[in-house]
Amino acid sequence: QHKMGKRSSLYRILTLVSAAAAVICAVYGCFVRAAGSGTAFFAVWLLIAVFFCCLAAAFWTGLWKKAPLALRRIFIAVVCAGLILFAGFQVCAVSHFDDDGGDDLDYIIVLGAQVYKSGPSSVLKYRLDKAAEYLAENSETVCIVSGGMGANEPEPEAVIMAEYLEKKGVTADRIIKEEKSETTAENISNSMKYINSDAAVGIVTNNFHVMRALQTAERQGLENAKGISAGSNKAYLPNNMLREFMAEIKFLIVR
């Protein structure tokens, strides 16, 4: 009876923890949706909330105890493996959060992101502000702003990015506009057309994206590129890190 009581208490705790996780994920998903990032990734948080709801129900109703032991062990093993992979990715990604590219690069490539009629998105402003800071400190560096026009964008990202940098004091003769790219891989490959093969190049992007950007650059043949890490909104960092983790899995699988 003592063991049964302890087990019942454990399942009650697991039910409460799962239910709390479901609420947190659902609220955070709605928070991300309200930000208007231009993507539907917020739905992933809602799916995770549904997963935790189902888990809470399984603990509460006793369905978990009725499931075959082998099935429960497989489920736990898969979840643990996923958490270990996720933690490993976080460590690798965070190791690039302070990349500064070094001084006197020949070129920097600023990767595009969502733009609106009012100007660059918050994510893109971080990148452009970092680029403007680097260009102010390195007067010989040329900046390539890379980004095409998405279906929900008023102009090519590169055009709006260049306008933003010029307002920050960067002269037009130091800015090259690459207006056709739609992905990070295209940002890199299309920008390489403007770069000498022996040039020193930095890639400017948000801290959570630097690692994958450098991996992409290497795959595209820009093997010695340096990362230049721009900041990001800490409130949305969990969303961005989860999104990058899933993108990293796709990157490793799809060649």
Side-chain angles (χ1 to χ4, degrees), residues 10-143:
L10 175 62
Y11 284 128
R12 281 197 293 270
I13 292 171
L14 290 173
T15 299
L16 290 172
V17 170
S18 299
V23 172
I24 291 170
C25 289
V27 171
Y28 187 68
C30 293
F31 172 69
V32 172
R33 173 67 181 85
S37 64
T39 74
F41 193 79
F42 71 92
V44 172
W45 291 98
L46 302 184
L47 290 174
I48 296 173
V50 171
F51 166 79
F52 279 118
C53 281
C54 292
L55 198 59
F59 290 135
W60 180 255
T61 61
L63 183 62
W64 174 264
K65 290 185 287 185
K66 295 177 183 178
L69 180 60
L71 185 61
R72 283 183 280 167
R73 285 177 173 173
I74 291 172
F75 175 83
I76 292 171
V78 169
V79 170
C80 289
L83 290 174
I84 291 171
L85 284 173
F86 183 69
F89 168 79
Q90 303 308 310
V91 171
C92 293
V94 169
S95 71
H96 289 279
F97 272 30
D98 295 322
D99 285 8
D100 63 7
D103 296 330
D104 300 321
L105 294 171
D106 297 310
Y107 297 89
I108 59 171
I109 302 171
V110 187
L111 304 185
Q114 182 75 43
V115 297
Y116 308 106
K117 288 183 179 179
S118 58
S121 61
S122 175
V123 165
L124 186 52
K125 284 181 180 178
Y126 278 105
R127 302 179 186 184
L128 293 169
D129 288 343
K130 188 65 177 181
E133 177 186 314
Y134 186 92
L135 293 167
E137 296 173 354
N138 298 272
S139 60
E140 299 300 316
T141 303
V142 174
C143 178

